[in-house]
Each structure stands twice: as structure tokens, then as C-alpha cells.
Amino acid sequence: MADVKWTKEQQDAIYDKGSNILVAAAAGSGKTAVLVERIINKVINENVDIDKILVVTFTNAAASEMRERILEAIYKKMEEFPDNKNLQRQIILINKASICTIDSFCLDIIRNNFFEIDTSANFRVADTTEVELLKQEVIDDIFEDKYVSNDKEFLNLINTYTTYRDDEPLKELLLNIYKYIQSSPFPEDWLNEKVEMFNLKDKLNNDFSETVWGKILLDSLKENISNYIISLKKTERDLNRFEELEKFRLVINEDIINLEYVKENLNSWNSAYEKANQIEWPKWPTDKKVTLELKDIAKSTRDGIKKSYNKEVSKILLYDSAEANENIYNMYGILKAIENLIIEFSKKFAERKKEKNIVDFNDIEHFALKILIQKDEDGKDIPSDIALSYREKFEEIFIDEYQDSNFVQEVLLSNIAKIKTPNRFMVGDVKQSIYRFRQAKPELFLDKYSRYPLASGGKERKIQLYKNFRSRDEVLRGVNFIFKMVMSNVVGELEYTDDEALHLGATFLENQEEDSEVGGSIELHIIDKSGNEAEEVVEEELQESEEEEEAVDAISLEAKLVSKRIKELFEAKDGKRFKVFDKDTNEYRDVRYKDIV
């Protein structure tokens, strides 16, 4: 790694210290190399023992790779300094170094401190199937007990969500909520907080826009009306080009004025309820003498907007504030019953697992958290003595793929991180966050990304690695263009500006062969799966391959298009063969199937 030429930003990420550092590392920016180099620098140049560093990775494979790369770097350094005692010690210490997934680290905490939470020392981590079967047993037993005891609160839930003949939907609902809240550090507290949001007993006379639901609904309506206005203004400009379309333009202009009036009155619920339902759509003129197609296009656009607007208003603005608040409050009793049932399930499920001496993956994080956090005299959560011992032990905490952390992991690692001398190093890219379905919370990354300054010297710092060393300029320009068009704070939770864009970091040798094709601009293939284009693509493929006709669906259609494009890459085009650059041989060669993903 000594031969690597690091960029200024990469050097900052490797050598800066004394801060909690968030590294926003875009695709292909050398994130892993920087992370490993920083660890190696700590060990070799700053004489920090490898077992004094905590490295939390997303997968076991990533942890193994990191351990191997660190070990390789230490051996390489030992070739220069064979008598260095510190380096020799690191070879021994790396076997007990904490380079692991968050689950592995939590398991170590539990096994070393099991007595703190009344857990057996020889507990077993249950597999997913065993856990799911046990969950089903517990929920079935609870339902049976409720039926036998004729529990009124429970029977009211059955009548609300399902029937006693088929209570599976309610069971599924309860289990899904239970699973979801496990991503919270304190699941039952979180559930109670959310249920209490529906307790509007003392707020029934408030404007509904003051509630979280009212605000979301009005914001959504305001955004859609803004889009309607943009579309109608474009239509008005088109109509304005022809004098004979003036009467149609005036109708569109009146629509715009009416919608802008409604938009201005969406600041309170009652105002929105009154104004949005009063809007009138003027009658569209009829004039058979006007034969311009633009007239029909404008009418079609207007009809679509009118239909969408009326449908949305009829769905959202059904009630005034008093009725809306009353409806929300009426749900409070039902949700309280669900909360009670989930808490009961949680306790009985925990008891059954204890009887079997097993834990599940959610238990691993929550048990570790229970060991690391205690209550003070005022009932506040503070780090336990065990957490403080970890805080003393670890000189630095590295968190890889930080965009996929959840709130449990955030609280856990925060409690073992140093306060006076910040020592957390977080690496990730929010644009690559794909695990929200597993309760990952990319907002943890986004919060720090918006707050941390770029400048060094403080207790917090952000470093941006946006030079891409993997792809050609044509690829990066194409990706940047598409992302800039589709990503915003609303869609993607990030405004894709020039600051976020990928920048070329690699250089590629020019291909010298005249009879070959290399790269070129990116291609974006869009298939209209509902139209004639889909049939044409499949029909063409079937004719070429003389296969029997088969059903056209989205997956087979895409597969046919991809296979067709791959075949083209392997066929000579105008006497030119498609070439790729081989990093191993440092030269161009014919494309191979393994080059394609």
C-alpha cells in the first residue's frame, strides 16, 4: 500500500484524528482501501495495539477480508523491520482483535457478562425457522387463552380486524409490528410513544394540521397541486402559440388561478377543507372549426389533472378538523389493545426462549444494550461500568457501511465511544442504502452528513470521497446525469448536486487497435412493457431463435433484451470487435462473458 498515491481527501480520512469522522464514500472511491490503511497507520505508525481497535463490518466476509489485509500489511512491514517487537506482538494480538460484525461483537459482550442479565452461560443462538415456529406457538397460545377467558378487549380487536373463524390476519399484524419495533433500542417504549400520539383527548378542538398525519397529508396535496400547475402552465404556453386556441387557453389559465388559490390556503386543515372542495372547473369550449390536434392534447391533459385532483381531495379532505381529530382519537383504544397484546406476546416469547435456553438475533443486540446501559437516580439512561470499560479499552471504533446501521446499533456503539476525545470513524454512502426493509436507518447517516462540517479541528468532521477509480468518464457522466434528474430530498432523501456527483479518478490507456470498439457512451434501454414495443422485441427474438411462442412477462422480456445485447457485444460490428481493459495484463483484450454483470 506504500506505492498508492492517495488523494488529499483520502489522506485526510487516513490520518486525521481527534474527531468523530463521517466519510461519505461514493461507489468506486477506494473506501475499503482507505479504511484498512487508516487501521494499519494506527497500528504501525501510532503504535496502537490491534486489539485496542473495534472494527464493525456488515458481513463476516468483509470482516475476514479486512483481517487478512491488515495482517498482510503487518507482514510486509516486518520485512523492512524484522526485529520490531511491536509488529511481532500485533501478529499475536490480531487473533483476538475485534474485527467482526455487530452481532459477533454483541455476542462477545453477552458471553462475557451473561450474569448481568440473568442469562445462562451456555445459551444457543436459534436458527430462523426455530424462532418463527416458536413465535407461532406463543401467539396461538395467547389467542386461545383470550378466547377461553372471553377477554372483551381482545374480542373487540377480532371484530375490528378479522373474525374468530379466521384470526390469522390479526396474528400476522401483531407479529409484523413486533418484528418492526425490534430495530428500536427500547421497543416497548417506542411502541407506547407512537400509540400515545393517537390520544387526542385534550386536543380535539385543535386544527388537524397540527398533527403528524394532517401535516403529511397537506404537504402531499400541496406538492401534487404544484405539479398540476406546472403541467397546466406548459399546456397554456403551447396553446398561446395559436390565436385560434385562445378560448381554450383562457380555460387553462382559469384552472391555474383556481389551483394556485387552493395551494395558498393549505396552511391549515379547515381552510384546506373549505377551499379545496369549493373549486370549480370551467366548461371546456366546443368548436368544431378548430382542427388543431393541440386542442385535444390540452383537453386530455386537463381531464387527467381534474380527475386526479378530485380523487385526491375526496380521499384526503373528507372531514373538517373536529371530525378528523375525533376519528384519530377513536382509534386510540384499538391501538392501545394492540400495544397490550404485543407486550404480552413479547414477555411470553422471552419466557419460552429462556426455557429452551435460546436467543434470537434481535435478543443479541438488545441483551448487549441491556448490559451496556443502566438507569441513574433520575431514571436517565447512562453507560454502565461495563460500557465504561469498553470505552477505556478501544482507542478507535470503525463502522463500515454506516448507512445501513439501525438505532439499536447507534445507541450501543455511542455508549462505548469516547466523549472527551471523539473516536468514531464511520464510512458509508447513503446512495447505496438498500436495507431499509431490514430496519436500517439511513437517516442516521443523513443527520451527521448535514451537521458535520468539512473543516478539521473540531469534535466532528465530514470527509467526502467522490473520486471514482473504477469507471470511465462516459459511465460517470451518464450516472451523474440520471441521478441528478431523479434524486432529491423528497425522492432519495438527498439533493444530487455537483457536490454529490461522482468525479473521474482513474485513467485508462487508449486502445490502439483500429479494428476494435471500446466503451463509448452509456446505453439506457427502456422497454414499454404494456405496449407494442414489448411484443416486437419478443417477436423478433422468437423469429431469430425459432422458439415456440411463450408468455410475455416483465422478467422474460428483460432477459431477452439483455441476452440480445450480450450477443451483439460478441459479434463483430463493422469489422470491429468489442474490447475491454484488463487490469491484470494492463492491456485491452476481447470481451469475455465474465466481464458482463
Side-chain angles (χ1 to χ4, degrees), residues 429-447:
D429 180 15
V430 75
K431 296 187 290 296
Q432 297 185 58
S433 179
I434 59 171
Y435 287 103
R436 186 165 260 167
F437 71 95
R438 282 189 355 194
Q439 282 73 61
K441 299 296 179 185
E443 50 264 45
L444 292 168
F445 184 102
L446 288 165
D447 173 62

Side-chain angles (χ1 to χ4, degrees), residues 186 189 373-376 378-384 411 415:
F186 311 102
D189 292 345
I373 293 178
Q374 64 185 32
K375 299 282 186 186
D376 64 8
D378 299 323
K380 265 183 77 176
D381 293 321
I382 60 171
S384 67
V411 172
N415 274 275

Side-chain angles (χ1 to χ4, degrees), residues 71-102:
L71 193 57
E72 182 183 335
I74 294 172
Y75 276 126
K76 191 173 181 180
K77 200 72 176 175
M78 282 185 68
E79 291 176 6
E80 297 179 50
F81 307 100
D83 298 326
N84 188 307
K85 301 293 184 186
N86 178 49
L87 293 174
Q88 293 171 9
R89 187 169 69 255
Q90 303 313 314
I91 301 294
I92 300 169
L93 292 177
I94 200 167
N95 292 316
K96 61 174 186 174
S98 299
I99 305 171
C100 54
T101 63
I102 188 70

Side-chain angles (χ1 to χ4, degrees), residues 145-344:
D145 290 343
K146 298 293 182 186
Y147 284 127
V148 170
S149 64
N150 207 30
D151 186 289
K152 289 183 179 179
E153 188 178 76
F154 171 76
L155 294 177
N156 187 32
L157 270 183
I158 291 292
N159 291 330
T160 303
Y161 286 98
T162 180
T163 67
Y164 71 92
R165 293 179 184 275
D166 180 20
D167 52 21
E168 287 303 315
L170 180 59
K171 289 178 181 177
E172 188 177 342
L173 174 69
L174 295 168
L175 292 175
N176 283 339
I177 295 174
Y178 171 81
K179 180 182 178 182
Y180 180 83
I181 66 175
Q182 298 311 304
S183 64
S184 169
F186 311 102
E188 293 178 10
D189 292 345
W190 184 92
L191 181 61
N192 178 255
E193 177 191 329
K194 299 307 174 188
V195 169
E196 287 302 317
M197 287 170 63
F198 289 78
N199 187 2
L200 301 180
K201 185 177 181 181
D202 300 324
K203 301 176 183 177
L204 293 175
N205 294 322
N206 290 7
D207 193 284
F208 188 61
S209 62
E210 295 175 14
T211 68
V212 63
W213 307 280
K215 186 177 185 307
I216 289 170
L217 290 171
L218 287 186
D219 285 348
S220 174
L221 184 58
K222 189 179 292 187
E223 183 180 349
N224 288 338
I225 289 177
S226 296
N227 290 333
Y228 299 152
I229 292 170
I230 290 170
S231 183
L232 287 172
K233 282 184 175 180
K234 181 184 180 303
T235 301
E236 184 184 23
R237 286 196 301 271
D238 292 340
L239 293 172
N240 197 43
R241 288 159 39 211
F242 302 95
E243 190 176 335
E244 61 264 47
L245 298 179
E246 176 65 10
K247 67 181 76 172
F248 304 101
R249 186 197 68 78
L250 289 173
V251 171
I252 295 293
N253 181 258
E254 191 173 341
D255 291 338
I256 293 169
I257 292 170
N258 288 338
L259 287 174
E260 285 179 337
Y261 175 71
V262 172
K263 184 183 172 185
E264 288 169 5
N265 285 278
L266 293 181
N267 297 320
S268 76
W269 188 267
N270 282 340
S271 173
Y273 175 74
E274 179 186 346
K275 307 300 182 188
N277 282 300
Q278 286 179 350
I279 190 172
E280 292 184 3
W281 299 85
K283 188 176 179 182
W284 188 254
T286 56
D287 191 340
K288 293 182 179 179
K289 293 179 181 179
V290 178
T291 57
L292 285 169
E293 187 183 1
L294 188 56
K295 175 192 71 173
D296 298 325
I297 294 172
K299 183 179 186 302
S300 176
T301 300
R302 180 185 190 253
D303 287 347
I305 289 172
K306 180 180 173 182
K307 183 179 178 182
S308 295
Y309 174 86
N310 290 336
K311 183 178 180 182
E312 191 168 15
V313 168
S314 66
K315 272 187 174 182
I316 292 175
L317 296 168
L318 279 167
Y319 309 104
D320 61 19
S321 279
E323 292 172 302
N325 285 329
E326 185 71 35
N327 287 335
I328 291 291
Y329 180 58
N330 288 340
M331 294 172 65
Y332 175 63
I334 297 293
L335 294 175
K336 199 68 183 174
I338 288 176
E339 178 192 352
N340 293 336
L341 211 49
I342 290 171
I343 290 173
E344 183 178 347

